[in-house]
Amino acid sequence: MFLTQATIVPVQWGIHLISQLGTIFCYLILYILYNPGLKNPSAFYIEQGLYFFWTCIICVFSVYLYERLRKKEFYARKAMELAQYKSERLLLNILPEMIAEQLKQEPATIADSFLEVTVLFADIVGFTELSSRTSPAELVELLNTIFCLFDQLAERHGVEKIKTIGDAYMAVAGLPNQSNNHAPAIANMALDMQNAVATFNEENKQSFSIRIGISTGPVVAGVIGLKKFAYDLWGDTVNIASRMESHGIAGSIQVCEASYQLLKDKYLLEKRGLIKVKGKGEMMTYILKGINLKT
């Protein structure tokens, strides 16, 4: 009975011990009540008792060892799951979820072409000058606070953050999950970024302004390299978005013609006119002012 019990329920050695002691106690009570006669020599009963005793000891001890092994396996599995969860979170902080899954299944170069997305570049005006009169720790803390606000806005608007370069912030909408709402998503985020910087200035007694450039068009996106890989974008659309930012006006959101065509019906845009853009010649640009409440 004890061997069967230990095989079927190989855990909780304390319960096995209690059941064995209870069985022995019941046996002794029944023996006293019925007082049967001993037909065999006493040596026989001593031998059987020793067999029974050691069977019980071996049974309980084996269950005890098995229970310890199961506990160790349980804690090891939980530790492995926690480590896997942390690595998953770290990977998702580096790559979009779809790309991370693709990279885990097929660890090779990933490159995809997208016909139309909207790219945003943002730069904090005056931050470089601030670095010359601010301690490194304080400077990094300020930048981290602002970029964390931008990250929250990106998540709220369904925008994919690509990277930060110094005090510049790059994001895109329309990939890796393709969407027809990419231009409005970036426009809404850009307007909220302006409000976030204004609120940050009030709370921290700063005078930062943000310069934002937006461009719409095709890009190539992917992951390259073997070490410190990151999801990045390439193409003329990226270059134009960068130029829209660098050739823009402090505190303003400058958009190219392609973005203007997608935003003009629902947003307030002011024509800035032709500006000379490095590597592109003259380009027609517009300033995004806000949402058109009349539509």
Side-chain angles (χ1 to χ4, degrees):
M1 181 185 70
F2 295 138
L3 289 174
T4 304
Q5 184 187 43
T7 304
I8 297 175
V9 191
V11 290
Q12 300 293 330
W13 69 273
I15 295 177
H16 285 276
L17 179 60
I18 293 172
S19 66
Q20 289 179 7
L21 293 175
T23 303
I24 294 172
F25 180 74
C26 290
Y27 176 80
L28 292 176
I29 294 296
L30 291 173
Y31 179 81
I32 294 171
L33 290 176
Y34 288 96
N35 192 23
L38 301 177
K39 299 179 180 180
N40 297 310
S42 59
F44 172 81
Y45 296 103
I46 293 173
E47 180 182 2
Q48 295 300 316
L50 288 174
Y51 286 152
F52 181 66
F53 172 76
W54 284 112
T55 301
C56 292
I57 293 296
I58 293 171
C59 177
V60 172
F61 186 65
S62 62
V63 173
Y64 168 74
L65 293 178
Y66 187 77
E67 183 181 345
R68 285 191 61 186
L69 178 63
R70 291 292 299 271
K71 285 183 178 179
K72 288 182 178 180
E73 289 178 348
F74 173 78
Y75 290 123
R77 187 168 60 253
K78 295 297 289 184
M80 184 176 66
E81 290 175 356
L82 180 60
Q84 185 176 4
Y85 171 75
K86 290 180 177 180
S87 65
E88 289 281 347
R89 289 293 301 273
L90 181 61
L91 189 62
L92 291 177
N93 279 334
I94 299 173
L95 302 173
E97 184 176 359
M98 182 187 298
I99 302 302
E101 290 297 327
Q102 186 177 347
L103 193 63
K104 285 190 295 183
Q105 295 175 8
E106 187 179 353
T109 301
I110 296 175
D112 298 297
S113 179
F114 298 88
L115 294 178
E116 188 177 75
V117 301
T118 300
V119 181
L120 174 148
F121 271 90
D123 184 75
I124 301 173
V125 181
F127 202 85
T128 304
E129 291 77 7
L130 181 66
S131 63
S132 62
R133 60 178 188 275
T134 307
S135 67
E138 184 180 355
L139 189 73
V140 170
E141 181 64 27
L142 288 172
L143 192 61
N144 179 66
T145 303
I146 295 173
F147 281 175
C148 283
L149 294 174
F150 293 171
D151 288 346
Q152 293 171 4
L153 293 176
E155 187 172 356
R156 182 190 306 170
H157 293 290
V159 171
E160 190 69 44
K161 173 188 176 182
I162 299 301
K163 60 184 174 182
T164 59
I165 310 168
D167 60 339
Y169 190 95
M170 179 184 177
V172 62
L175 63 81
N177 296 312
Q178 298 186 42
S179 168
N180 295 325
N181 199 43
H182 51 85
I186 286 290
N188 292 334
M189 179 177 172
L191 293 170
D192 284 346
M193 289 169 76
Q194 287 185 325
N195 295 330
V197 171
T199 302
F200 175 84
N201 287 336
E202 291 179 6
E203 294 176 351
N204 296 272
K205 297 181 180 179
Q206 297 291 340
S207 58
F208 295 129
S209 63
I210 187 171
R211 186 173 55 233
I212 300 176
I214 296 175
S215 175
T216 299
V219 298
V220 173
V223 180
I224 58 173
L226 296 175
K227 295 182 178 180
K228 297 182 179 180
F229 51 81
Y231 192 65
D232 208 347
L233 308 180
W234 300 272
D236 203 39
T237 303
V238 178
N239 297 331
I240 293 174
S242 178
R243 297 291 184 264
M244 289 296 102
E245 179 272 312
S246 60
H247 292 69
I249 305 170
S252 298
I253 305 169
Q254 183 166 249
V255 306
C256 70
E257 179 70 32
S259 299
Y260 168 78
Q261 294 299 328
L262 296 175
L263 299 173
K264 62 182 181 179
D265 294 332
K266 295 183 179 180
Y267 293 84
L268 298 174
L269 293 112
E270 179 182 291
K271 186 176 182 180
R272 187 186 179 191
L274 292 171
I275 64 170
K276 192 172 183 179
V277 177
K278 181 180 179 182
K280 300 298 296 182
E282 289 189 337
M283 294 186 68
M284 181 63 69
T285 61
Y286 303 83
I287 302 298
L288 175 63
K289 294 291 187 178
I291 298 175
N292 189 353
L293 300 177
K294 295 180 181 180
T295 58

